[in-house]
Amino acid sequence: MIHKTQIGIVGAGPSGLLLSRLLALQGIDSIIVERQSRDYVEGRIRAGVLEQGTMDLLDEAKVGERMHEEGLLHSGVELCFNGERHAIDFVKLTGGKTVMVYGQTEVTKDLNNALHAAGAQIVYEAEDVTVNDFDTDHPSIRYSKDGEAHEIQCDFIAGCDGFHGISRSSIPDDRINLFERVYPFAWLGILVETPPVSDELVYSNTDHGFALYSMRSMTLSRFYLQCAPDEDINEWSDNRIWDELAYRLDDEGAKNLTPAPLLEKGITPMRSFVAEPMRFGNMFLVGDAAHIVPPTGAKGLNLAVGDVRYLWRALIDHYKKGDGGRLERYSETCLRRVWKAQRFSWWLTSLMHRFPEASPFDRRTQLAELDFVTSTEAGARAMAENYVGLPFDD
Ligand code: APR
Ligand code: PHB
């Protein structure tokens, strides 16, 4: 069966959903093809810090209402080392900027609800998805569903299908450059019905490794512990987790740690990855399909939203003004911002974690850098500006 649309989108994660929604509000038609079910996509727990630019785009997409009601505005973070916590005040350092703590899962649900209410075309549980003829002016997405073969004929393909998707892997090796760093540790993450240990998120560097004390609401906490990359989750009993969470926090903070039954427990691998370029003829890679950051600093979703923002504006220029300039510049403009966020995510990861191969010298210089970041305005401001999100170039 043949379907026709303007933009064929592969993947119904935050990138694909947001792009489709923003385009629809401008009268540009799209169809999303997703390999998994809607429940599966909405059930994935991921980071939960939104930059101001991300909040603005969700508002533009008219899906920001619940975020403003339920999200928690944060004016800074705390860095903990040598048993003491130090505040980094974003509002003071960046001229009033804040971030919002609101789970990616909730963003996905809000987008899905808006898209479904507006009658959007999303094909879930599509099998054998392929992207075809993207070097021509008649690209297509083929898939099968319930045993029937389908083809979506479109003007452009948006590859929003994440790190393991088919869009990027359809590109021949000699047309794509891949840059990658894999870290010698992972995060064990838990979701637990207990109040946050502090008003702000706490990033802690200890001789047992990194820990992060985050939250989803005033009664729901999200905690992470650095662990080995090949860690067996069964080795981590609830008691061991609570002991480590207490050990990796300052004494005052540890007093606020109230153990409760875990709602969720999982391991997050750590990787930095960029694919260049992000455009191949009439196919554009968006979000995790083109780049992965380690979760320290929570840039993944924000970067994906940055790509969507740029592609959306470029497509509006193309369809409404006949101006292809932004489409031409898509890859270059996105990559400039992507690499800066890559640098920041790598830097914060390196600053906060215990590397297995680190020498006592490395450890001392790491602590000296933490001292610099928390005790000088120059150090604190560089961190704050990056954390709240760098400006868009165009
Ligand atoms: N065909 C169709 N859909 C696919 C295929 C395929 N062959 N392969 C993957 N997908 C779907 C996945 O099931 C997933 O729902 O593409 C979607 C990609 O979503 P994400 O991985 O969430 O990527 P993205 O939308 O770019 O969101 C970026 O998610 O991973 C986090 O840290 C990241 O927060 C960032 C955000
Ligand atoms: C989270 O709450 O999941 C979170 C917060 C900040 C990070 C990473 C993850 O840097």
Side-chain angles (χ1 to χ4, degrees), residues 46-49 187 201 203 212 214-216 222 224 295-298 387:
R46 290 193 170 148
V49 180
W187 284 9
L201 269 59
Y203 289 80
L212 170 59
S214 180
M215 63 192 79
R216 287 293 176 271
R222 180 92 172 127
Y224 297 97
T296 335
Y387 199 104

Side-chain angles (χ1 to χ4, degrees), residues 210-260:
F210 171 71
L212 170 59
Y213 304 80
S214 180
M215 63 192 79
R216 287 293 176 271
S217 72
M218 295 322 284
T219 55
L220 198 58
S221 289
R222 180 92 172 127
F223 298 136
Y224 297 97
L225 291 165
Q226 175 182 348
C227 62
D230 54 355
E231 194 78 50
D232 176 1
I233 202 158
N234 298 315
E235 299 280 307
W236 286 82
S237 65
D238 288 13
N239 280 342
R240 182 176 172 204
I241 291 175
W242 290 108
D243 286 349
E244 272 308 306
L245 284 168
Y247 180 89
R248 299 186 195 187
L249 197 54
D250 63 303
D251 293 344
E252 197 54 41
K255 279 193 215 144
N256 295 336
L257 202 57
T258 319

